Amino acid sequence: MSNRVETDVVIIGAGPVGLFAVFELGLLGLNAHVLDVLDKPGGQCAELYPEKPIYDIPAWPVISGKDLTDRLLEQIKPFLPTFHFNDLVTGIEGSVEKGFTLSTECGKTFFTKVVVIAAGGGSFQPKRPSIPGIAGFNGTSVFYAVRERETFRGKDLLIVGGGDSALDWCLNLQPIAKRVTLVHRRDNFRAVPNSVSKMKTLVRQGKMDFIVGQVSKLCGTGGQLQSAVIKTKEDAIEMTCDRLLPFFGLTMKLGPVSDWDLELDGNQIKVDTATFSTSKPGIFSIGDINTYPGKLKLILSGFHEGALMAHAAKALTHPEERVVLQYTTSSKNLHKKLGVA
Amino acid sequence: MKLIVTDIDKTLHEVDFKEDDILMHVLRDANMGILAECGGSCVCATCHVYVDQEWLSKLDGIGDDEEDMLDEAYEPNGNSRLSCQIQLSESHDGIKLTIGPKWD
Ligand SMILES: Cc1cc2nc3c(=O)[nH]c(=O)nc-3n(C[C@H](O)[C@H](O)[C@H](O)COP(=O)(O)OP(=O)(O)OC[C@H]3O[C@@H](n4cnc5c(N)ncnc54)[C@H](O)[C@@H]3O)c2cc1C
Ligand code: FES
């Protein structure tokens, strides 16, 4: 994929609300690129509660977070959205007259007529422990995600956590690392039982180590980690290691949203409820990230906001056209767009 | 009825509560520095508190979901609980607790 993209709309956030906006925009002939810092679509529904039931989606007496995401993906498929995952939108420049330029952490640039901020509770970021001295090792010896597996070849790794990420990376990196030590606060795991038993087998075979404890201190110089102190029930042990991989799950950070010069109310973007426009024309905001009198942070409210936003975005980008409301049930034009004609 | 809360800056607060209140809601509404990102669904661990030893046994036992989720709390120990999983009653009047440390 080229690093320069031109499009009608960029949607920031692939949560349920960002996904449904693809549909509403698509009905009006606007094509969208969708970005998310997560590695998958679904936002909170996918990251926080894929298996939990939701009972207040109209016409779905009960649906899980994962199923809702899958259904939305199926519904928006005819509109061919392009997804860009694992990337954070950092900058928005421009105006409705000249168009907007978006930049991302991975160095992509998007040229777009309108921007839709559907950033939910903020961008999902790894939970970072504030172990004394850790900041000096971030990006050189401490990593919260594995982007290139090969960079861990021959390294002495300390992996921390008890969920799927921690266990998966233990198993995945063990064959190429010099040594892998898993540190977790207890001898019970949230990770799927199959990975846990594989890890325990490796420990029994002497191919990796497991310590019940918590990392309390890091030692090293010039960004190069040399050892870590692990507090166990009985005492504290110092272990040599040159890479630390903490996996404590994700937390939502407002992040760059606050740098985009939009009128905010606390951590929320203020919008006009007729158009869901922010204080900057051409930049819209829908879903959990926005606020207005009476706002309810519900998925169904976000869907409604997406429909109104799409009509306003169409009117803004195509002032010469009269935007008419058509029903998906009967409109031949919409049937063509939906691929059911 | 009152909670005695030590916040992240070690300042002591007395916070009122009513029968059947959820501890997380009480702490959040009193701005005690609880994030409670998932709104009480036991999937975020950002409502972590340490309950004073003498009060621990007065609470209902910890569930498997809560124990699992404590893995994602910062520096959990034997006194750790997720405040969204605790329903308060008369027997908790005067309970002492400390707000858990934050992730960066
Ligand atoms: C446990 C739980 C249960 C819930 N139950 C219900 C329920 O029963 N009914 C209901 O209606 N609602 C429920 N909710 C709330 C519902 O999940 C949210 O209202 C909904 O997810 C909001 O959707 P969204 O698309 O606005 O944002 P989100 O789902 O938060 O998605 C936003 C996405 O934007 C991404 N993002 C943010 N900033 C950036 C950036 N700068 N660059 C790239 N990506 C970015 C984030 O990574 C995220 O994936 C529940 C929430 C939780 C946590
Ligand atoms: S509020 Fe999320 S676990 Fe308690």
Side-chain angles (χ1 to χ4, degrees):
Chain A
M1 167 94 40
S2 141
N3 275 348
R4 284 172 60 96
V5 175
E6 275 185 50
T7 177
D8 295 327
V9 187
V10 172
I11 301 174
I12 303 171
V17 175
L19 293 179
F20 192 65
V22 170
F23 186 85
E24 290 295 331
L25 290 161
L27 287 181
L28 298 173
L30 298 175
N31 185 254
H33 282 249
V34 187
L35 282 104
D36 205 301
V37 70
L38 286 180
D39 59 359
K40 55 181 176 290
Q44 295 175 44
C45 301
E47 184 55 42
L48 292 176
Y49 59 104
E51 307 304 334
K52 284 195 196 277
I54 311 172
Y55 298 98
D56 58 351
I57 303 299
W60 285 99
V62 55
I63 187 165
S64 71
K66 174 162 193 317
D67 285 347
L68 178 73
T69 306
D70 290 347
R71 298 283 172 185
L72 284 167
L73 288 172
E74 185 187 331
Q75 194 169 23
I76 66 178
K77 215 168 165 189
F79 301 111
L80 306 172
T82 314
F83 288 102
H84 307 261
F85 292 115
N86 295 308
D87 203 1
L88 182 78
V89 178
T90 47
I92 306 180
E93 306 276 332
S95 64
V96 70
E97 293 82 21
K98 296 193 209 120
F100 294 95
T101 310
L102 269 71
S103 41
T104 73
E105 205 166 52
C106 296
K108 285 189 194 149
T109 310
F110 294 80
F111 299 95
T112 181
K113 292 178 193 149
V114 296
V115 180
V116 178
I117 304 174
S123 57
F124 278 101
Q125 304 278 343
K127 286 180 177 167
R128 296 164 182 253
S130 23
I131 303 166
I134 195 166
F137 299 109
N138 279 339
T140 49
S141 298
V142 176
F143 297 91
Y144 294 93
V146 177
R147 294 222 191 257
E148 274 176 74
R149 179 173 178 261
E150 271 306 305
T151 55
F152 295 94
R153 181 176 290 277
K155 301 291 182 205
D156 194 340
L157 309 180
L158 211 58
I159 297 182
V160 194
D164 285 319
S165 303
L167 273 284
D168 288 353
W169 285 117
C170 278
L171 301 177
N172 192 295
L173 295 173
Q174 186 274 333
I176 62 166
K178 180 172 154 208
R179 189 175 61 145
V180 173
T181 307
L182 175 67
V183 179
H184 181 44
R185 71 174 183 104
R186 56 184 183 136
D187 193 6
N188 269 314
F189 297 84
R190 274 187 348 122
V192 292
N194 183 32
S195 327
V196 177
S197 71
K198 280 189 185 151
M199 180 276 292
K200 290 198 165 158
T201 307
L202 287 173
V203 171
R204 261 198 312 278
Q205 295 170 341
K207 291 183 179 156
M208 65 169 279
D209 294 299
F210 168 54
I211 300 175
V212 176
Q214 293 181 43
V215 178
S216 61
K217 195 176 157 201
L218 302 179
C219 315
T221 47
Q224 181 48 58
L225 190 61
Q226 277 149 0
S227 68
V229 178
I230 298 162
K231 226 171 29 187
T232 65
K233 235 191 180 128
E234 296 78 34
D235 54 355
I237 35 180
E238 186 163 350
M239 295 223 14
T240 56
C241 62
D242 42 34
R243 293 285 182 274
L244 176 73
L245 295 154
F247 293 109
F248 292 108
L250 304 178
T251 181
M252 290 182 272
K253 290 248 168 89
L254 185 60
V257 172
S258 53
D259 306 330
W260 296 336
D261 261 350
L262 304 169
E263 234 179 273
L264 301 180
D265 182 354
N267 283 346
Q268 251 68 41
I269 301 173
K270 282 196 189 175
V271 288
D272 166 7
T273 51
T275 58
F276 291 91
S277 176
T278 66
S279 56
K280 259 198 195 168
I283 304 183
F284 297 88
S285 178
I286 54 176
D288 277 15
I289 190 76
N290 76 14
T291 187
Y292 51 86
K295 168 74 186 181
L296 294 176
K297 285 192 193 178
L298 287 176
I299 296 167
L300 82 92
S301 309
F303 289 170
H304 156 82
E305 295 166 13
L308 268 65
M309 173 282 295
H311 278 257
K314 175 78 178 187
L316 193 68
T317 51
H318 298 76
E320 69 295 347
E321 280 180 45
R322 203 167 69 88
V323 191
V324 283
L325 175 72
Q326 301 180 63
Y327 289 133
T328 54
T329 311
S330 46
S331 159
K332 293 257 167 5
N333 171 22
L334 295 186
H335 287 171
K336 239 185 267 157
K337 288 179 178 150
L338 287 163
V340 294
Chain B
M1 294 182 282
K2 287 194 188 328
L3 314 169
I4 316 290
V5 183
T6 308
D7 71 14
I8 207 83
D9 302 318
K10 306 218 157 48
T11 312
L12 218 60
H13 304 263
E14 278 192 10
V15 181
D16 289 326
F17 73 91
K18 298 189 307 294
E19 182 82 20
D20 293 340
D21 275 351
I22 301 291
L23 177 56
M24 180 275 276
H25 294 157
V26 176
L27 295 172
R28 195 180 56 184
D29 295 349
N31 296 318
M32 288 294 110
I34 277 268
L35 205 56
E37 208 162 66
C38 77
S41 307
C42 200
V43 295
C44 75
T46 62
C47 63
H48 172 210
V49 296
Y50 301 110
V51 177
D52 269 29
Q53 192 63 34
E54 57 193 298
W55 288 93
L56 259 190
S57 60
K58 298 210 169 61
L59 298 173
D60 285 343
I62 193 162
D64 285 350
D65 274 6
E66 184 183 346
E67 184 65 69
D68 275 355
M69 207 55 226
L70 276 173
D71 284 353
E72 290 195 10
Y74 189 46
E75 301 221 314
N77 64 26
N79 294 63
S80 291
R81 293 296 304 256
L82 294 179
S83 58
C84 69
Q85 301 302 305
I86 296 176
Q87 190 164 28
L88 297 164
S89 71
E90 217 179 345
S91 61
H92 303 128
D93 192 11
I95 187 172
K96 288 193 185 127
L97 48 98
T98 304
I99 304 292
K102 297 265 160 317
W103 293 98
D104 251 0

